[in-house]
Amino acid sequence: MLIKSFVKTDFGLRPIGVEVALVPGVSQIQVLGLPDQLIKESSKRILSALRHQGFRIPPGKQVLVNLQPNHLRKSSQGLDLAIALGILFTSEQLSSEHWDFTQNYCYGSLSLKGEVLAPPDLHFLSFEKFEKTVLTGESLTPYRFETLQLDQLKNFNENISTVSAQTQKFQYEPRILNNDFSFDQQTAKLMSIVALGEHPLLIAGHAGSGKTTMVENVAQILGPPEEKVFLEAQKYWQLSQRELRSRPIVQPHHTITPVSMVGGGRPLQFGEISFAHGGALILDELLEFHPQVQSALREPMEKAKIHIARVGTRAEFPAQCLILATTNLCPCGKFQPQQNYECRCSSLRLRNYLDKLTGPFLDRFAIFHLTRRSPLDLKTSTSDIKEHLEQVREFQKKSRSQNYANQRLTSEQIQRQFSKNVNLDLIPHSSSLRRRNALFRVARTLADLEFNAEIEPKYLEEAQFWTAHDIHQLERFRLDDFALRQPL
């Protein structure tokens, strides 16, 4: 007899077939198909459960259990129920006429007295498009079963009952601000744009200018996550034995390898960018990261997912996250274009350092910002910015029923929101389509910050400053200013 069940993989649960047969021999259970120690121990739990429920293995019969496919190593917390039912149905101690095992699945663990329990990893099926019914046991903890059809069995002498469609609603805990910092008006405006629109940001400047503090505060004032994206993020955190209650913030050290960042290896594993799915990935001191890390991030920044292929194995990992990066512009950290020269690095050393920032990677940041000397009137706090953004998000929902970030809008969607005063012929053209899309998306965010449903020409002009001004300034410096640098 063949019963469908699941084994655990690095990315959730995988369907397998559990084939049970009775052959002459000593009354014992022999599991084939490369089981791990956890599955091998299930034979003793099954024997104890059957005896306590008034059943037994037929005298003079040995139970052979074959886990298909045979060539894969297997680990599972819920094969007990499938193997036990296979024994009872094959020996005709129970009738299988009330349950269609050719279409549906069976996944549950057994206590020594025969109670059937839902395995802790059953909720991974909630993240998949799984449309079959699963026979399981009683759950000790609440799980989300909105898209999963479950039937429940308390023990072998009870009837099967149907579990309600959903036992736990979507839960999200807003992140509490660790510290309430104050910022100047321009920095506060930049934080509002990035946090509301979730536009990828690279902020550069001299050491001590508050770059890291700013991006860490931006990550803490992001809006509520999309339910589907947040559930996907929870799955990957739970696969790594960690719990996720609010939008993730991941800040890897600059010594991280490309494989650790985006995933890979053998067997395939997901990387830090998948842990940041649905949240923020902070890359502090970006130019200190290995150049291959920049190259590896280019695809997920563009497509919000990443495809990994190794010999004989392929996988797709989610990577929809806000990239917040900071960097100094020279090894000593004191250089800043068009400022008094305090840097002690040679022109060659400075040029080599800036060459680490490749053009294609820089182009994927919607906003590149050079820090300026901060004025003394620091008036806007992080809590004030967060309060204003909450009001703007309510405006977005009411005005156009939008519950996702502007960074995900297409150019066509945004152009339909232009006012009649916008002349597309007057909008500066760029050699990069990404820069033009960034211009439109940031303009949409600027209009939202002023509770304007239409995008006026003034927002496009301001968006031009945020998306192109500092990039052009950096490029002009690269071309012209190296030879002109003179110490004070």
Side-chain angles (χ1 to χ4, degrees):
M1 182 175 188
L2 184 66
I3 298 177
K4 296 181 179 180
S5 189
F6 303 97
V7 292
K8 184 180 179 182
T9 68
D10 293 331
F11 316 119
L13 297 179
R14 170 179 176 160
I16 66 162
V18 180
E19 185 181 11
V20 179
L22 298 177
V23 298
V26 180
S27 296
Q28 64 178 3
I29 301 173
Q30 183 71 29
V31 183
L32 311 175
L34 300 180
D36 69 349
Q37 186 62 32
L38 179 62
I39 297 177
K40 292 178 181 178
E41 291 177 353
S42 66
S43 61
K44 297 181 176 60
R45 290 192 298 271
I46 294 169
L47 290 174
S48 176
L50 292 178
R51 292 193 182 106
H52 277 85
Q53 294 293 314
F55 303 98
R56 63 174 184 169
I57 297 177
K61 295 292 184 179
Q62 180 181 5
V63 179
L64 293 182
V65 180
N66 184 34
L67 305 180
Q68 303 175 354
N70 302 335
H71 64 285
L72 298 177
R73 294 192 176 277
K74 302 172 185 70
S75 177
S76 178
Q77 302 179 31
L79 289 182
D80 298 3
L81 181 59
I83 296 174
L85 290 178
I87 295 172
L88 295 177
F89 294 151
T90 303
S91 62
E92 299 183 350
Q93 298 179 68
L94 286 180
S95 174
S96 61
E97 61 184 10
H98 301 297
W99 181 259
D100 185 7
F101 284 101
T102 62
Q103 296 294 328
N104 300 317
Y105 287 73
C106 179
Y107 194 65
S109 60
L110 297 176
S111 70
L112 295 179
K113 294 185 178 181
E115 292 96 356
V116 185
L117 302 175
D121 57 358
L122 176 63
H123 65 285
F124 285 129
L125 293 179
S126 302
F127 304 109
E128 311 292 342
K129 294 181 179 179
F130 192 80
E131 299 177 352
K132 304 293 185 181
T133 301
V134 178
L135 178 63
T136 186
E138 184 178 3
S139 176
L140 299 178
T141 57
Y143 291 134
R144 177 182 176 83
F145 294 136
E146 183 177 357
T147 59
L148 186 62
Q149 302 175 31
L150 295 180
D151 281 350
Q152 193 175 84
L153 185 68
K154 292 185 179 180
N155 56 60
F156 301 128
N157 293 309
E158 296 284 341
N159 294 325
I160 296 174
S161 60
T162 300
V163 181
S164 57
Q166 181 173 342
T167 59
Q168 185 183 19
K169 294 184 178 180
F170 171 63
Q171 293 183 341
Y172 157 74
E173 295 181 3
R175 190 173 293 275
I176 300 175
L177 293 176
N178 296 328
N179 295 290
D180 195 6
F181 291 93
S182 295
F183 300 92
D184 63 88
Q185 295 299 318
Q186 187 182 50
T187 302
K189 184 66 174 289
L190 175 60
M191 292 173 63
S192 299
I193 295 171
V194 175
L196 177 63
E198 298 190 12
H199 308 293
L201 168 69
L202 172 57
I203 182 169
H206 61 280
S209 57
K211 304 183 297 295
T212 302
T213 301
M214 195 206 87
V215 297
E216 289 177 349
N217 277 259
V218 168
Q220 295 182 55
I221 59 176
L222 297 177
E226 297 177 55
E227 182 174 354
K228 179 178 180 294
V229 175
F230 187 67
L231 289 174
E232 290 175 346
Q234 283 185 317
K235 172 186 175 180
Y236 280 82
W237 280 65
Q238 290 166 357
L239 283 170
S240 64
Q241 309 298 321
R242 292 188 288 177
E243 189 175 6
L244 182 65
R245 295 183 178 273
S246 57
R247 295 192 70 170
I249 300 176
V250 178
Q251 188 170 352
H253 193 261
H254 65 263
T255 56
I256 189 172
T257 63
V259 171
S260 298
M261 177 64 79
V262 300
R266 190 175 179 89
L268 281 181
Q269 295 286 340
F270 45 88
E272 292 294 298
I273 195 170
S274 295
F275 284 120
H277 179 64
L281 178 66
I282 298 178
L283 305 176
D284 198 16
E285 298 300 339
L286 176 64
L287 296 189
E288 297 296 332
F289 284 76
H290 195 283
Q292 290 184 2
V293 173
Q294 292 187 34
S295 300
L297 287 173
R298 285 162 57 177
E299 178 193 349
M301 287 183 70
E302 190 82 16
K303 300 182 178 179
K305 57 186 176 182
I306 184 166
H307 299 270
I308 302 291
R310 296 295 182 266
V311 177
T313 309
R314 300 176 66 89
E316 178 182 295
F317 303 129
Q320 181 182 311
C321 60
L322 171 61
I323 306 292
L324 301 171
T326 71
T327 186
N328 296 325
L329 294 175
C330 71
C332 75
K334 294 183 178 181
F335 174 69
Q336 192 171 13
Q338 297 186 354
Q339 298 289 337
N340 290 334
Y341 173 49
E342 299 176 359
C343 173
R344 61 176 181 268
C345 302
S346 66
S347 295
L348 178 60
R349 192 180 183 196
L350 178 57
R351 182 184 292 275
N352 291 338
Y353 195 77
L354 287 179
D355 283 344
K356 294 181 180 180
L357 184 60
T358 62
F361 187 57
L362 176 61
D363 199 33
R364 283 166 168 77
F365 288 94
I367 299 176
F368 172 75
H369 181 69
L370 292 170
T371 59
R372 274 77 177 175
R373 298 292 182 181
S374 299
L376 298 178
D377 55 336
L378 302 177
K379 296 180 180 180
T380 307
S381 65
T382 308
S383 58
D384 293 336
I385 300 173
K386 183 178 181 180
E387 182 179 354
H388 178 229
L389 293 182
E390 290 174 353
Q391 299 173 3
V392 176
R393 292 184 183 108
E394 288 298 322
F395 165 77
Q396 288 179 326
K397 293 179 182 179
K398 293 179 180 179
S399 63
R400 57 181 186 273
S401 301
Q402 181 176 317
N403 58 357
Y404 50 87
N406 292 333
Q407 180 63 23
R408 297 182 57 195
L409 294 173
T410 65
S411 178
E412 292 74 16
Q413 289 175 317
I414 298 176
Q415 289 186 48
R416 289 196 291 266
Q417 301 169 22
F418 284 170
S419 71
K420 297 180 180 179
N421 300 325
V422 174
N423 187 345
L424 291 176
D425 295 332
L426 298 180
I427 298 176
H429 289 274
S430 173
S431 59
S432 169
L433 182 59
R434 296 189 189 95
R435 297 258 55 84
R436 188 172 180 83
N437 291 337
L439 173 69
F440 289 166
R441 290 164 179 163
V442 172
R444 174 66 270 176
T445 302
L446 290 170
D448 287 336
L449 289 173
E450 296 187 4
F451 303 97
N452 196 332
E454 292 186 333
I455 302 176
E456 303 288 347
K458 64 177 182 179
Y459 301 126
L460 290 166
E461 293 177 5
E462 185 178 356
Q464 181 72 14
F465 167 77
W466 291 111
T467 60
H469 178 270
D470 286 353
I471 287 182
H472 293 159
Q473 183 175 338
L474 181 65
E475 293 304 322
R476 286 196 302 269
F477 173 79
R478 280 176 162 175
L479 292 174
D480 303 329
D481 291 349
F482 278 107
L484 303 178
R485 294 173 64 248
Q486 296 293 333
L488 290 175

